[in-house]
Amino acid sequence: MKNGFLVACCLLTQLSMAQDVSLALQKKPDTNPAKLAEQWSKVPANTKVSFATSSKRFAQELPPEIKENNIWTASAWKGEKVHKQLIIWSKADLNTVTIEVSDLKNTKGGLIKKENISTGFLQYVMTDEFRNGCGYRKPQDFDSSKVADIINVDLKSIQVQKNTTQPVWVSIKVPQTVNAGTYSGTVTVNADKKYTLNVVLTVVDKTLPPPAEWTYRLDFWQHPFAIARVHKLEPWSDAHFATMRKYYTMLADAGQKIITTSIVNEPWGHQTYDDFPSLIKWTKKKDGTWTYDYTLFDKYVAFVMSCGINKQINCYSMVPWKIAFTYYDEAASKEAVFTQAIGTPAYNEFWATMLTDFTRHLKQKGWFGITTIAMDERPMPAMQSVIKLLKTIDTGWKVSLAGDYHAEIENDIYDYCVASNWKYPNDVLQKRKQQNKLSTWYTCCAEKYPNAFTFSPPDEMVWMGWYTAATGMDGYLRWAYNSWPKSPSTDSRFTAWPAGDTYQVYPGALSSVRFEKIIEGIQDFEKIQLLRKEYQSKQQTAQLSKLEAALKTFEIKDLAIESAEATVAKAKKLLNE
């Protein structure tokens, strides 16, 4: 996970040296009581309600600095999800606040039922700051504050204390079957009185396919043991699997394509708060032969596939950061650890036996063609040795790699994910597309921007989708979907790496501002691909040229000059024309 990426990530630290416009816009509030009281004294009414951009996080302690607006005007394709923030701020205690939504209707009898509209009170978690990025940290050494990130759709009402700002996340999922046109409805806030705000949604006569058909290659690494710990469940019990389903379905609905599996204990050297045990039980028999129990591996993979994530199985890993493979030694009646270095005869024998049996098993299950041996960045000789070994077992084995770009092994990597400071050579990228290989990118602890920390400006996550389209890559990888710290619902900080780095969603299968913005960027990516095809087939060169010109503004270095929010806002106008 992290250490495996650090070789590549540490090369990115020069990105953090430039003045970061995006983070400069996300100033932490001045919590001096006198200054806070002065700001609240300027609010003209006890309670105010307004729509606001989804591109900013609003401080809980301060009245929002926004132009008040009681109309949300939006455009969307059929099948697209769009969102907005609704802000409530009050100088008086509000004991019970609830939100109601109406159907959206048009003048021709069209209807978007209110079941397609969701509202979630935003909840605040502790965050910190970037500073040095990678490396273990002490909370007292970093400036910390509260930030709105959790979208709690399960809360039906909330109390708002005086001199407090309470954001609400409002989403509309446009049905694919609805007719194009303009639809109107309302959102009502019940607080000290009723506040009715208007929604005007223009549905464009274009259709976004369902997430299962999205081409974007999203890879958020899943962590089943974290779910068991947070929900106090016995790992791999029926209750554990039942609880995991909502999380994995939510991830599938974001377009996730890849199943994260561990075929050895702690493939990332226990860098996470929770254990990451092997899904395969390795046993060395008394006679020196080996057996491999795939029962849990099979059950887990089949379960994740049943949730809608079924394009690829990534197996971690033959090349963990720490070479220490745990197995049960029957002769000694205890666990043992194999520690011989990669490339040694002992290592090759140890893995050749397992891989031969694993290949047989995967072919029997019908999964061999979608399975890869996945690697984090390792020294070149080690990676070359592992690739060579795999090909001696079966030439059909595929390899996934996240790290720096290496021309020496590029041709051997099926799923290649490069650090954000790398770009594939144009000829290599085109060749990879022709060979149906995957070419993606990732961010980690090293990049101040773009990133998905809890303090990152929300539109950096949208920006990522545009950047993927602009570079011609296939998708984006990030650890991790749910490698939660000790108390993820209140504190997104971890003993190592910037706050929020280890997860994107919250216990209870609650989404976040970050996760919704990732989805927004993926939707934009899909729309860009569809528009490119349409403009090319219809020879609409002017429209295509405008779109391609907008995509050229998505360069990482430019985030030091213009915020992700500004860049995205200008480009988005081209998608709904």
Side-chain angles (χ1 to χ4, degrees):
M1 266 180 196
K2 282 299 169 182
N3 281 334
F5 282 172
L6 284 180
V7 174
C9 285
C10 288
L11 296 175
L12 298 170
T13 54
Q14 66 267 25
L15 290 177
S16 68
M17 301 303 291
Q19 173 61 37
D20 182 1
V21 171
S22 296
L23 288 181
L25 293 173
Q26 294 287 121
K27 293 180 180 177
K28 295 179 173 65
D30 187 339
T31 55
N32 179 284
K35 290 185 178 181
L36 290 176
E38 180 184 357
Q39 296 220 39
W40 281 103
S41 69
K42 297 175 182 177
V43 176
N46 269 351
T47 303
K48 306 284 284 183
V49 176
S50 176
F51 282 123
T53 178
S54 65
S55 301
K56 295 184 185 298
R57 292 188 175 91
F58 293 92
Q60 192 175 37
E61 303 91 343
L62 295 173
E65 296 181 1
I66 59 173
K67 183 178 180 180
E68 292 180 43
N69 187 3
N70 68 354
I71 301 178
W72 173 20
T73 303
S75 296
W77 288 23
K78 302 171 187 178
E80 184 179 2
K81 180 166 63 172
V82 292
H83 39 242
K84 192 77 167 176
Q85 283 192 94
L86 188 158
I87 310 296
I88 305 162
W89 65 108
S90 181
K91 294 195 294 184
D93 288 332
L94 302 174
N95 292 326
T96 304
V97 176
T98 61
I99 311 293
E100 298 175 17
V101 298
S102 74
D103 295 336
L104 304 181
K105 302 176 181 179
N106 70 12
T107 56
K108 298 180 180 179
L111 179 68
I112 298 175
K113 293 184 178 180
K114 61 184 179 182
E115 287 76 17
N116 295 290
I117 306 171
S118 67
T119 62
F121 291 105
L122 284 181
Q123 293 179 285
Y124 288 76
V125 295
M126 292 301 298
T127 189
D128 54 23
E129 59 181 336
F130 182 80
R131 201 174 295 183
N132 297 323
C134 301
Y136 287 85
R137 49 178 58 198
K138 297 178 181 178
Q140 61 268 27
D141 295 336
F142 292 82
D143 188 7
S144 295
S145 62
K146 291 190 295 183
V147 64
D149 195 48
I150 306 173
I151 302 173
N152 196 334
V153 295
D154 294 337
L155 271 180
K156 301 310 177 187
S157 66
I158 197 169
Q159 292 181 334
V160 178
Q161 295 181 344
K162 68 178 181 179
N163 294 350
T164 297
T165 291
Q166 176 60 58
V168 181
W169 195 264
V170 185
S171 291
I172 303 172
K173 176 65 175 176
V174 182
Q176 288 186 306
T177 55
V178 75
N179 292 326
T182 300
Y183 294 76
S184 300
T186 60
V187 177
T188 300
V189 177
N190 301 302
D192 55 339
K193 64 178 183 179
K194 286 185 180 290
Y195 300 84
T196 300
L197 297 87
N198 299 302
V199 178
V200 180
L201 175 68
T202 298
V203 178
V204 179
D205 196 14
K206 296 182 185 297
T207 303
L208 190 68
E213 298 176 19
W214 291 351
T215 59
Y216 195 91
R217 204 76 176 185
L218 179 66
D219 186 11
F220 279 175
W221 295 356
Q222 308 102 56
H223 196 160
F225 257 65
I227 295 174
R229 186 257 303 178
V230 164
H231 290 277
K232 297 179 173 61
L233 300 171
E234 181 67 26
W236 313 124
S237 63
D238 289 346
H240 183 202
F241 277 98
T243 301
M244 284 195 291
R245 183 166 295 279
K246 190 173 182 180
Y247 290 95
Y248 286 64
T249 302
M250 183 165 72
L251 184 56
D253 287 343
Q256 175 77 14
K257 301 294 189 293
I258 300 169
I259 305 170
T260 308
T261 66
S262 51
I263 59 172
V264 298
N265 278 339
E266 299 300 337
W268 297 285
H270 213 308
Q271 296 178 66
T272 53
Y273 185 87
D274 295 289
D275 293 339
F276 224 122
S278 176
L279 294 169
I280 298 172
K281 184 178 180 181
W282 299 51
T283 301
K284 187 176 183 180
K285 307 289 284 184
K286 290 181 180 179
D287 62 3
T289 60
W290 289 85
T291 61
Y292 309 94
D293 185 346
Y294 304 110
T295 304
L296 182 54
F297 177 90
D298 293 350
K299 183 177 181 180
Y300 180 73
V301 169
F303 163 77
V304 180
M305 286 183 171
S306 76
C307 296
I309 302 171
N310 53 23
K311 299 298 184 185
Q312 189 170 316
I313 307 165
N314 281 5
C315 298
Y316 293 91
S317 172
M318 291 175 64
V319 283
W321 190 256
K322 181 180 180 181
I323 305 302
F325 303 113
T326 303
Y327 63 93
Y328 184 76
D329 188 333
E330 208 171 64
S333 298
K334 65 179 182 179
E335 283 193 341
V337 181
F338 179 87
T339 58
Q340 296 297 308
I342 294 172
T344 62
Y347 175 93
N348 289 343
E349 181 182 358
F350 178 83
W351 273 102
T353 303
M354 188 274 178
L355 288 169
T356 299
D357 193 70
F358 194 31
T359 302
R360 172 199 60 77
H361 180 75
L362 289 168
K363 288 183 176 181
Q364 187 179 60
K365 297 293 293 185
W367 294 343
F368 181 70
I370 62 170
T371 301
T372 77
I373 293 296
M375 303 188 293
D376 295 344
E377 183 73 42
R378 293 297 291 157
M380 179 66 70
M383 293 190 291
Q384 289 174 320
S385 177
V386 166
I387 292 168
K388 181 179 179 181
L389 175 60
L390 277 170
K391 296 303 181 181
T392 65
I393 303 301
D394 194 299
T395 57
W397 264 111
K398 294 176 180 177
V399 177
S400 295
L401 172 64
D404 287 352
Y405 177 75
H406 299 286
E408 300 92 329
I409 59 173
E410 172 275 318
N411 194 53
D412 296 313
I413 308 300
Y414 164 71
D415 180 359
Y416 205 157
C417 184
V418 296
S420 68
N421 63 321
W422 288 96
K423 285 186 179 179
Y424 297 92
N426 288 334
D427 60 330
V428 171
L429 191 59
Q430 292 308 312
K431 180 198 70 173
R432 292 182 63 81
K433 289 183 182 296
Q434 292 166 5
Q435 295 173 341
N436 293 318
K437 293 178 178 177
L438 300 170
S439 309
T440 62
W441 67 292
Y442 71 85
T443 60
C444 63
C445 56
E447 298 94 332
K448 182 182 286 188
Y449 54 80
N451 226 313
F453 308 126
T454 43
F455 54 78
S456 297
D459 276 355
E460 285 190 10
M461 282 122 266
V462 184
W463 190 98
M464 292 174 184
W466 284 82
Y467 178 73
T468 307
T471 54
M473 291 187 281
D474 299 311
Y476 172 75
L477 174 154
R478 207 181 198 295
W479 94 295
Y481 180 56
N482 67 308
S483 284
W484 291 313
K486 182 178 181 180
S487 304
S489 295
T490 57
D491 194 340
S492 67
R493 297 170 297 177
F494 190 46
T495 54
W497 316 303
D501 189 44
T502 65
Y503 66 106
Q504 298 297 313
V505 299
Y506 288 86
L510 297 177
S511 188
S512 68
V513 171
R514 294 174 293 149
F515 192 61
E516 294 303 310
K517 284 291 184 174
I518 284 281
I519 296 171
E520 181 183 337
I522 295 171
Q523 290 182 150
D524 286 351
F525 175 93
E526 297 297 321
K527 292 165 75 172
I528 290 165
Q529 306 312 315
L530 292 169
L531 288 174
R532 277 172 160 166
K533 291 179 181 178
E534 179 183 334
Y535 294 155
Q536 289 168 356
S537 66
K538 295 181 179 179
Q539 297 184 334
Q540 294 175 316
T541 55
Q543 290 94 324
L544 182 60
S545 295
K546 285 169 62 178
L547 181 58
E548 296 298 340
L551 286 164
K552 288 180 180 178
T553 65
F554 287 82
E555 290 279 356
I556 291 176
K557 62 181 177 59
D558 292 338
L559 284 174
I561 303 168
E562 182 176 64
S563 71
E565 179 184 356
T567 307
V568 167
K570 287 187 286 188
K572 263 185 177 289
K573 297 175 183 178
L574 301 175
L575 299 185
N576 293 332
E577 291 182 343

